Every structure is written in structure tokens, then in C-alpha cells.
Amino acid sequence: MNRTNTTPDRDINFMSLATAMGVLSLVVCIASLVLLGVRGLNLGLDFTGGTVLEVTATEEIQLEPVREVLSAEGYNDALVQYFGSTREVSVRVPPRDGENGDEIGHQVFALIKSVAVGAELQRVEFVGPQVGDELRDQSGLAILMAMLLMSLYIWFRFSNKFGIATVVALVHDVIVVLGAFALMQWTFDLTVLAAVLAVVGYSINDTIVIADFIREDFRSSRGSQDTREILNRAITRTLSRTMITGLTTLLVLVALYAFGGEMIRGFSITLIIGVIVGTYSSIYVASCVLLAMKVTKEDFLVPEVKDVEEMP
Amino acid sequence: MNRYPRGKFILLLVVLLVSGLYALPNLYPDAPAIQITRSEAGADVSTDALDRVRTALDEAGIGHEQGEKVGDSFLLPLSGGESQQAGADAQLRARDIAAGILGRDYVVAQNWARTTPGWLRAIGASPVGLGLDLRGGVHFTLQVDMDTAIEQRLESWASELRVILRDAGIRYREVRHQGETLLARFDSADDVDAAQRALRNKFMEFTSRRDGTTLRFTMTPEALKQIQDYAIDQNRTALNNRVNELGVASPVVQRQGADRIVVQLPGVQDASQARRILGRTATLEFRLVADDADPSRVAAGIAPPGTEIFPFKGEPNNPVVLRRQNIVTGDQVTHAQMGFDQTNGEPEVNITLDAAGARAMQRVTSKNVNRPMGVLFIETRTEARTVVNADGEEEVRNVSTKDAYVINVATIRDTLGSRFRITGMDSPAAAAELALLLRAGGLAAPMYIAEERTIGPSLGAQNIQSGINSMVVGIGLVLLFMLVRYKMFGLFASVALLGNLVITVGVMSAIPGLTMTLPGIAGIVLGMGMAVDANVLIYERIRFELRDGASPLAAIEAGYNRAFQTILDANLTTLIVAVILFAAGSGTVQGFAVTLFIGILTSMFTAILGTRGMAELVYASGKKTPTRLSI
């Protein structure tokens, strides 16, 4: 450790904004929770059950005639909207009593065909109400399990304070992403759920990298150093890496969003938000929590694991 | 600094070469083809029929190749389409044309023909399978109605119990099932004692409890699970057979969870036809006719005890009274073939029973010669319905509607064994369909479609295209960025990234049964974006060391060594996410999880081993120590 000549004043003073950012995060989280409570998530077919179909036509499809013919046949609860372009529509019909959900799709298509020139069925999906309920329960469980296992891993690899800090950062990210979905009322389906879990993975990845440097800096620091200084130093040293990885990931996500087609638009937008929020939270949320818990050099005096120094 | 060990270079090259080889078949995508099979099992496709199909395809302007025999069927690859869309259209048209020409004797299905060169096939390399969202097709999740399965089993146990008691000469008031318990009520405590003696070491599937003059049998958890497993297995087998009758290429019929079965039919566009055949739950029951029933009471709809009234097919006013007890049911039929009666030319179905069925048939028919036996046809449709329960809440219940009628009543002329025939069908087509349904096997319990997803072939083609586009653009942008930011080291990272892509595709192709889906592609693309993370960590560290005044070689050494632990920690957590996604997810989510998992492993491999190897080659293999790094 002969590299202590990076003078502290060269480090960016991230922690001077710690209180402000902490308050900001708290406000955003509370706002997200309120949004989730008030507006809720616009759950997709996977979770609610029902029938959804996508139809393309050779000419522009007028929505009104489609809605009229559907409601004339008793489908007045059908949700008809453009999808991609004006020659593509998606129709969603909630599950209904006594009727075979998979047949509804074909009936609805027949009706659309009668008012749209050259209509072609692209996709029909029908999910029974039971399947939807089950998925909803399972997915919640999956997210909780992912968080639990990862915090256990961090607890084991670092220390309990880091475990708590990382979990707080994770919960923060998930809440904000879900809040964005509640705000925009984007459809939340299984692929979006996968994306939320990927956000969890990305965010923790980011946090751990910084945590690694914080740990290293604590160990090499002289006892007198202030926790704020050490956090500043670790974040500064990882800043370019944090930014570059975030940027390259965002580059591919934007490509996915722009060129990947409708079916993974929800997936890519979730991750775009997630990467931005995750990058922010790895800098501010985790460190704020560490600061609040008054993490000190003593937390790292006993090396929890021996360093893996044998390299390939 | 140590020279990089040769062994690691060899390892790198071998991994890259092997995965490259296994990734190669993906450059030879499956060609659309039609598959022609004789309806009659085991019969070959005639050359005459093939010639007629070829001529018709030529006339329609659909290019095709010579084709080859695959098993019992004949595979005719089409060369029509430039794009996948055109190929899919040609395939559809070709199927309709061939089906029109060949008629009922043949099954024409859409399939894919391998275009992988023989030497690649010889080492077992094949392209990665495409999921339904990429090639189009139908996905069904079928829910097995376990309540009915359990009820049916209890019913048969109840009759078994009655037989045991009767054989032992014990009088009982009634034997019936109530929920999941079986109740046997007796007149006196003595009878209960006698029954308990008679049942010793029998009915091990139950735990019995004495309750006054009633014996209460409760199913053991093992027995319950056994019923479930049996029902799922039996239904899966039946579905498998039905799917085969559809003639679909590489279908998937899989159990999912405790009571669901997933069926995937790639390339099938006519979902309604598939649904008709899959959802059909028809079975036969052979029962004795209660010929002693009072006709006037029957006309009033009152069935004598132990019997049921059924309409005769096509003649609702002509009810038939059948004994409740089955002699044989459809799932005991091992073979069924349509044929014609030699004397009057009427269609008939020739049936072969399994051993247990044959024994039962023999026992009953030998005692009942000259009495009539009816063949009951039962078709069940079960669907989920929202009903309002007693508490006024809405709940979803499975409602099954049974359509049962007698298709045939014949007098037993002689003792029947394992082979016999039934007559009375309207037409050869009806006979053929009945034979098919019987052949396909009975269902142990009714099923209904809980989920259906159909993806059109053009959407599938579009999904592939957009997946590839986003991959090219995304990865291109990342490579460009890395080159600009890290120059020579950026080049190392870019080479490693491309190698990473090859290895990922190779690994995915080599794992059998793995299918690529759109979220899977997204997983690869995302993995690529994140894969540079390890490199970025290392390179930023090297730059840091250089700024701190370390020599170039020492900086490389320190960069790789110090970053290793961080990379390990960071990636292990993402692996945890991938594993959870796979375990908890279904379908699309799992596809994403698999690619993410493979992507992380390969990126760790290439980022740590690969780029370091290249750095050593360029900077440390010469005699002179480099004075500066291009980073």
C-alpha cells in the first residue's frame, strides 16, 4: 500500500450532499409507495388472466369501429389500443364467467376482421384466472427470495452493516422502478418482472464494487481518517468504472428499446430506469446508510475472509 | 513478472474452438419443410403420392427438394422462401396443397428440415432450438382436474370395498365417499368387527377410524400423491399420443407443477384444430344394460337403483338404462383400429384390451351371455367458471360438462376376450375418429386449457430480426466505446467480447433441449453490456496504477490481481439472481435466466483469462519491457 499519495482533496466530496440525497431518496420512495397504493400497477395478462390479441392489418385500423363491433357483441369491457403503429392493434379482454377464454380470442379476431381490411392475427394469449393468481404470488416470492439470498451473501462476504446498506439500496431501487410503472401505468408483465430482478442483480453488482473499495480503503487507512473521507475516496476511485459500465449497459439497452420490437420494450425500459436508479443508489443510498450506521475502521479489523489473491 | 503460462493459452483456444464448432450450425438455419405421414400406423408413404405432391408444388411455383424418408414419414424441404416470412408462407401453402391432394389417408404437417452439413451433425452439433416466440406456434397449459381424478378413484375404491364385504358375507347399510373420505355404514357393531377383520391388510391406502357403526377411511398422503402422479402421467401420455396424431415437429409435452401439463406445438398456426384434438377428452365405457328396468319408470326419467339412464346416440327419445358399474374403460384399450364389417360393409372399430381389461371383460361376459351390453361414449369438457359461493364471494371453480350417450348396444353372443369389435358408427369417418380417440388413450381425469399463447409465424420472424438488429447495434456501440476509451486494451476487450458471444452461442447450442426465446436474446444483449464491466474494472485499475507511477507490467499485474476479488463478488451475486429467476420463473423468464447465467460465466472467463492473455502477448512476450501502455 504505497499509493496513499492520492491526496484527499483530489477526491470528490460526494458526502457533502449525503443529507440532501438521503432526503431526496426518501421522498422519492415514499412518493413511489403512495403511487403504488393509489394507482397500483397496471398488471399484464400474465398476472390478471384474460385474453389478449394482437392484430395487424394492411391498412390503417380505425379504433372506433373496432370498439363498436366489440361492444355490440358484448365485449364492452375490451381494451382496444394501438400497438406500435396505427396498423396494429392490441385488444385485451378480462376473464369472464362461463366462457372459454381461449375461444374468446378467436371470436374477437373474427369481429375485428369484419371491420379491418386484411386483418391478420399475430398473437393470441389466454391466461386463466388461477394461473394469473398463482404467478402473482410466485413472483412476489421470487423477488423477496432474491433479495434475501443476496443480502445473506453480502453479510457473509462483508459485514452486517454492508448487508443492511446493500439491502436498503436494493429495496430503494425496486420501489422506485415499481413507482415509475405505477406512475406511467405501463403494463407490468412477466418479462418486466424478469427485468426488475435483473435490476436487482445490476444494482447489487454496482454496490458491491464500491463496497469492495470502501473495505479496502478502510483497511489501508490510518485510524484518524474520517468515514466521510473514506467513502468519498472509494466512490471517486470507482466513479469512472461506475459511469462506464452504466453507460455501456445503457447503450445496449437503448439499442434493445429502439430495435428489439414491441415485445421487449417493457423489459428494456425497466432496465433503463433500473440502471440509472441503481447507479445513483450505489453511490448515494448505500453510502448514506453506511454513514448513518457510523461504520468505522473497527468493522473491518477482523478480516472476514482471506483474500483470494491467487490469480489466473 | 511471470510469463503467462502456455496451458492457459491452450485452454482458451480449445474452449473457443470447441464452442465455435458448436455455434456453427446456427449459420445453417432449419429449412421449412412439410412432413407427410400415412394415417395408418407403420405404413410407408407411397411414391405415387409423393410424385403427385411434387407435381402440384411445381405447378404452384413452390420450390422443393428431393426430400428424404425420416422414420415412418417423408420430409420434403421447401426452397421457396428468401426470407423466413416467405418460407413460412410457402410452408403453409404447401401443406394445404399436399393435404388437399392426399386426403384422409395421410397426415401432412409443417416441419423443419436440417440443413446442417453432415460432418457437423456427426459431432452432434445442431442449431439452438427456437422458442415459440421466434418461430411461431401454439403454447397450451392444461390444468388437470384433480378433484375429479380423486373422486373417480374413490368411486372405484368404494365398489372394491363393496365387493370385499359382499364376498365376506358382511351386511352393510351403505358404502359411499364423502369429500376425500370413504364411509362404510353398518347395522351393528358385530358387522363392523367382521368388516375390520375382512379388511385387515387390505386397503393400505387408507387409515381407518371407527366411529360408532361407521368405518371412516381417510386417504394417506402417499395415496393422494400417487393418484395425482398417475393422473398427470396418464394424461401426459394421452396428450403425447394426440400430439403425435397432429404430426407436429418437435412438440413439447411436459408436466408443470402438481397439476398442470404444458404442450408446445412449434409451427402450428391452426390453434383451433390443435385445441380440438388436445382438449378432446373422450372415453368409452362398456357396461351391462339393465334390461329388467321398468320401461314406464325409465320414460319418466327414474333410474332403478344402481343404474343410470343415457340417451342413445341420435335418438334422445330412446333412452338406454345401464348398470352403474363399468366392465372396462377406455384407458384399458391398448389398440383400436377402424375397419369394415365383412358381411354388410358397415364401419366398425376393432379393439384390443390390456390384460386386466381382458380379464374383466371375460368374467362379465361369460356370466351374461345373451344379455345386452352397451358402449357408452363420454366426452368431457371442463372449464374454469367464476361462480358466487355461499359467502357471496366470487371464486373460480372448474365446471365440467359431461356429454354421454350410448353408441352401441349389442347382445353378448359369446365370452369376449382381449379382442373384439364394436359397430354402430354413422360413417367411416366417425369410426376412424373414435379409433383415434381410443388409441390416444383415455384421460385419467378431465383437463381444461388454463393458458393458451399463439404466436404467428410472421411475428416470430419479426422477433428474430429485431432481436438480431438490437444485438448488432448494441454490441457495435459497446465495442466502439471500448476502442475509443481504452485503445489497445479496448481492442482486447472487444475481441474478448466477440469470443464471449461465440462461446455463449456454442454453449447454448450444445445444451440439449434449450430453446432460444426473445427474452433470451435480450439476456444475451444485456449480458454483453454488463460483460465489459469486468474489463472496465481491470482497466480502470491499471490506469490508476499507472497514474500512481507503477511500471506498465506491474500495473497490468496489479490491475488483474486487485480487480479479481471484486469481479468475483459482483458476478456471484448476479449468478444468484439468475438461479432464482430460473427456479421461480416459467417460460420466458427462464429463458432469460439461462442466457444470463451462461453469459456471466463466459464473460468472467473471457474477461479475466482472455484479455489478460492478449495483454501478455502484446506487452510481455517481447525481450524489451514496454515503457508505456496503450490504455
Side-chain angles (χ1 to χ4, degrees):
Chain A
M1 291 297 161
N2 56 349
R3 287 174 284 96
T4 37
N5 56 348
T6 28
T7 41
D9 59 83
R10 272 176 53 192
D11 294 332
I12 304 165
N13 194 357
F14 285 101
M15 288 303 111
S16 62
L17 290 175
T19 320
M21 289 300 178
V23 171
L24 176 74
S25 289
L26 214 59
V27 168
V28 172
C29 277
I30 291 169
S32 296
L33 286 174
V34 169
L35 271 171
L36 279 170
V38 175
R39 299 186 72 161
L41 287 173
N42 177 14
L43 289 176
L45 176 80
D46 294 328
F47 298 112
T48 59
T51 308
V52 74
L53 57 161
E54 277 167 39
V55 178
T56 55
T58 46
E59 281 167 31
E60 194 171 305
I61 302 174
Q62 301 297 325
L63 291 186
E64 265 324 297
V66 174
R67 289 194 180 118
E68 271 164 31
V69 72
L70 286 181
S71 76
E73 292 295 321
Y75 294 110
N76 33 20
D77 50 359
L79 189 72
V80 184
Q81 43 192 193
Y82 284 129
F83 182 78
S85 76
T86 52
R87 287 185 306 157
E88 294 166 75
V89 285
S90 87
V91 178
R92 204 165 123 190
V93 184
R96 57 187 63 224
D97 311 356
E99 244 177 289
N100 222 343
D102 56 327
E103 272 163 21
I104 290 176
H106 299 271
Q107 282 166 19
V108 168
F109 175 61
L111 292 172
I112 296 175
K113 219 174 174 176
S114 66
V115 290
V117 182
E120 195 188 326
L121 191 59
Q122 292 290 330
R123 190 157 79 101
V124 195
E125 295 191 0
F126 151 70
V127 178
Q130 278 166 320
V131 182
D133 285 352
E134 227 167 84
L135 274 178
R136 198 160 34 194
D137 298 346
Q138 263 176 17
S139 329
L141 207 67
I143 292 195
L144 284 180
M145 233 168 69
M147 290 191 172
L148 188 78
L149 275 177
M150 281 186 301
S151 53
L152 274 178
Y153 176 80
I154 295 162
W155 208 293
F156 171 75
R157 285 295 272 132
F158 292 86
S159 74
N160 49 359
K161 285 184 183 168
F162 267 113
I164 293 170
T166 322
V167 169
V168 172
L170 277 189
V171 173
H172 168 269
D173 296 347
V174 171
I175 288 177
V176 173
V177 170
L178 293 182
F181 266 79
L183 177 71
M184 302 305 293
Q185 289 292 299
W186 286 321
T187 311
F188 190 90
D189 58 18
L190 268 186
T191 40
V192 173
L193 178 79
V196 170
L197 284 165
V199 166
V200 169
Y202 183 89
S203 155
I204 206 158
N205 197 318
D206 239 20
T207 313
I208 282 182
V209 169
I210 295 177
D212 238 28
F213 277 76
I214 294 176
R215 178 169 62 180
E216 188 189 311
D217 287 350
F218 262 119
R219 281 190 187 155
S220 64
S221 70
R222 278 173 241 113
S224 60
Q225 253 178 320
D226 180 34
T227 305
R228 280 171 180 267
E229 276 172 34
I230 289 188
L231 292 176
N232 279 337
R233 190 175 136 83
I235 296 171
T236 308
R237 284 173 60 195
T238 49
L239 187 66
S240 54
R241 174 264 155 201
T242 309
M243 289 301 159
I244 290 170
T245 302
L247 190 73
T248 54
T249 311
L250 279 179
L251 280 179
V252 295
L253 288 173
V254 170
L256 262 185
Y257 183 80
F259 302 103
E262 281 293 340
M263 276 177 80
I264 43 177
R265 200 142 283 176
F267 176 88
S268 28
I269 195 77
T270 313
L271 269 159
I272 288 174
I273 298 172
V275 167
I276 295 170
V277 176
T279 303
Y280 159 81
S281 81
S282 64
I283 293 176
Y284 274 110
V285 178
S287 48
C288 277
V289 174
L290 284 177
L291 209 58
M293 285 190 299
K294 299 194 169 54
V295 71
T296 59
K297 189 177 166 72
E298 277 66 48
D299 289 315
F300 302 98
L301 276 182
V302 189
E304 291 85 18
V305 255
K306 62 170 194 298
D307 279 336
V308 189
E309 284 290 306
E310 62 270 25
M311 262 291 300
Chain B
M1 145 190 259
N2 293 331
R3 284 282 303 274
Y4 206 51
R6 183 162 293 145
K8 286 185 181 166
F9 278 116
I10 296 175
L11 174 70
L12 265 171
L13 282 178
V14 168
V15 169
L16 205 60
L17 204 73
V18 170
S19 34
L21 215 55
Y22 278 89
L24 209 54
N26 293 293
L27 296 178
Y28 303 91
D30 289 347
I34 51 171
Q35 180 182 320
I36 302 169
T37 319
R38 209 48 190 269
S39 307
E40 200 182 324
D44 273 344
V45 180
S46 77
T47 23
D48 166 59
L50 280 174
D51 286 341
R52 278 189 294 152
V53 171
R54 288 198 185 103
T55 318
L57 290 181
D58 287 339
E59 278 168 15
I62 299 171
H64 59 85
E65 281 158 41
Q66 206 46 37
E68 56 176 337
K69 198 165 172 275
V70 179
D72 279 344
S73 19
F74 197 87
L75 202 60
L76 198 63
L78 306 170
S79 44
E82 288 301 308
S83 66
Q84 205 204 345
Q85 168 71 61
D89 290 348
Q91 194 182 20
L92 254 183
R93 275 176 59 215
R95 188 199 64 176
D96 291 345
I97 291 171
I101 290 173
L102 299 173
R104 287 195 156 271
D105 294 345
Y106 288 91
V107 177
V108 182
Q110 289 158 273
N111 203 336
W112 281 270
R114 291 266 190 89
T115 55
T116 319
W119 62 275
L120 273 175
R121 272 195 245 180
I123 59 163
S126 58
V128 59
L130 297 181
L132 292 184
D133 53 350
L134 296 182
R135 64 156 66 157
V138 192
H139 167 114
F140 293 105
T141 306
L142 295 139
Q143 175 100 37
V144 179
D145 183 358
M146 281 304 165
D147 292 345
T148 307
I150 291 166
E151 199 173 307
Q152 280 173 354
R153 193 71 188 94
L154 278 169
E155 185 64 53
S156 86
W157 265 321
S159 62
E160 211 175 301
L161 184 57
R162 286 185 203 108
V163 171
I164 292 173
L165 294 175
R166 218 175 294 147
D167 287 353
I170 302 162
R171 283 160 47 92
Y172 56 87
R173 193 181 285 171
E174 67 166 349
V175 173
R176 65 182 171 91
H177 63 88
Q178 186 183 57
E180 286 179 9
T181 54
L182 203 57
L183 295 179
R185 304 198 320 136
F186 299 89
D187 287 327
S188 70
D190 288 348
D191 287 338
V192 180
D193 290 339
Q196 277 185 322
R197 272 197 303 279
L199 287 170
R200 189 163 296 144
N201 297 328
K202 286 178 185 145
F203 265 59
M204 306 298 276
E205 297 88 347
F206 294 89
T207 48
S208 65
R209 194 163 60 84
R210 193 175 173 159
D211 187 4
T213 55
T214 305
L215 274 180
R216 219 175 259 281
F217 299 91
T218 313
M219 249 188 284
T220 59
E222 296 83 45
L224 212 59
K225 186 172 179 304
Q226 218 179 349
I227 293 174
Q228 284 184 347
D229 287 349
Y230 174 79
I232 290 268
D233 275 351
Q234 175 72 21
N235 283 15
R236 204 168 45 94
T237 313
L239 280 175
N240 238 329
N241 290 333
R242 287 178 197 178
V243 167
N244 288 339
E245 298 281 347
L246 270 171
V248 179
S250 49
V252 176
V253 180
Q254 259 171 3
R255 174 178 187 163
Q256 188 185 65
D259 53 3
R260 292 202 186 116
I261 298 173
V262 166
V263 177
Q264 291 190 340
L265 308 171
V268 169
Q269 268 118 72
D270 190 351
S272 50
Q273 186 211 356
R275 195 169 340 115
R276 237 178 3 252
I277 292 184
L278 292 185
R280 198 68 163 281
T281 67
T283 186
L284 288 187
E285 286 180 8
F286 296 87
R287 299 186 185 189
L288 283 178
V289 174
D291 46 359
D292 47 356
D294 178 354
S296 59
R297 288 173 69 86
V298 170
I302 303 163
T307 68
E308 281 175 282
I309 303 176
F310 293 101
F312 194 79
K313 184 177 65 168
E315 297 170 42
N317 299 327
N318 190 7
V320 182
V321 187
L322 297 182
R323 296 256 175 93
R324 266 182 190 279
Q325 206 170 348
N326 288 322
I327 308 170
V328 166
T329 56
D331 56 354
Q332 290 168 311
V333 172
T334 56
H335 192 72
Q337 181 86 49
M338 182 218 150
F340 293 96
D341 188 309
Q342 285 178 347
T343 50
N344 58 17
E346 269 185 22
E348 59 180 23
V349 178
N350 295 299
I351 291 172
T352 311
L353 298 177
D354 66 7
R359 261 201 310 279
M361 185 59 96
Q362 199 175 13
R363 196 186 62 222
V364 175
T365 51
S366 65
K367 283 188 212 154
N368 293 289
V369 172
N370 288 328
R371 294 187 60 190
M373 180 174 74
V375 182
L376 185 66
F377 181 83
I378 306 166
E379 195 165 13
T380 320
R381 264 175 61 116
T382 311
E383 56 197 12
R385 270 190 199 161
T386 313
V387 291
V388 178
N389 65 14
D391 302 330
E393 293 162 356
E394 284 196 350
E395 68 171 3
V396 179
R397 246 187 240 154
N398 303 327
V399 183
S400 34
T401 33
K402 242 186 199 175
D403 200 8
Y405 47 85
V406 176
I407 55 170
N408 178 270
V409 173
T411 309
I412 301 167
R413 298 275 174 234
D414 205 348
T415 303
L416 297 177
S418 67
R419 293 162 157 279
F420 61 97
R421 64 202 175 106
I422 55 171
T423 52
M425 265 67 60
D426 283 337
S427 63
E433 197 168 274
L434 178 60
L436 190 157
L437 284 169
L438 283 172
R439 225 174 23 241
L443 294 173
M447 287 186 290
Y448 65 95
I449 297 174
E451 195 182 270
E452 179 190 320
R453 292 165 193 267
T454 307
I455 306 281
S458 58
L459 184 62
Q462 205 179 309
N463 283 343
I464 290 188
Q465 201 50 54
S466 44
I468 290 174
N469 285 350
S470 57
M471 205 188 277
V472 168
V473 175
I475 294 173
L477 285 174
V478 171
L479 294 190
L480 193 71
F481 179 84
M482 291 303 276
L483 284 173
V484 169
R485 165 96 191 169
Y486 297 114
K487 304 179 188 78
M488 182 59 98
F489 276 82
L491 183 68
F492 301 156
S494 302
V495 172
L497 206 59
L498 291 178
N500 184 22
L501 185 63
V502 171
I503 297 174
T504 306
V505 174
V507 169
M508 292 196 70
S509 308
I511 298 176
L514 195 72
T515 52
M516 180 68 89
T517 58
L518 195 57
I521 294 181
I524 292 185
V525 179
L526 179 67
M528 291 288 152
M530 291 171 71
V532 296
D533 182 53
N535 286 124
V536 173
L537 264 169
I538 296 165
Y539 295 170
E540 288 298 319
R541 200 90 195 204
I542 293 177
R543 286 178 145 202
F544 181 81
E545 300 284 334
L546 286 174
R547 267 205 305 276
D548 256 15
S551 77
L553 289 188
I556 295 178
E557 173 92 15
Y560 276 92
N561 284 349
R562 308 215 132 266
F564 181 66
Q565 170 121 45
T566 314
I567 295 170
L568 199 68
D569 275 329
N571 280 302
L572 272 176
T573 47
T574 317
L575 280 182
I576 295 178
V577 177
V579 169
I580 294 167
L581 273 178
F582 187 80
S586 69
T588 53
V589 178
Q590 281 187 333
F592 171 70
V594 169
T595 51
L596 190 63
F597 191 86
I598 296 173
I600 294 163
L601 287 185
T602 55
S603 79
M604 279 175 75
F605 177 77
T606 52
I608 296 169
L609 277 186
T611 62
R612 179 155 196 195
M614 283 184 274
E616 301 275 341
L617 264 185
V618 172
Y619 290 108
S621 63
K623 291 220 169 67
K624 276 202 292 184
T625 26
T627 47
R628 54 185 303 269
L629 299 176
S630 164
I631 188 165

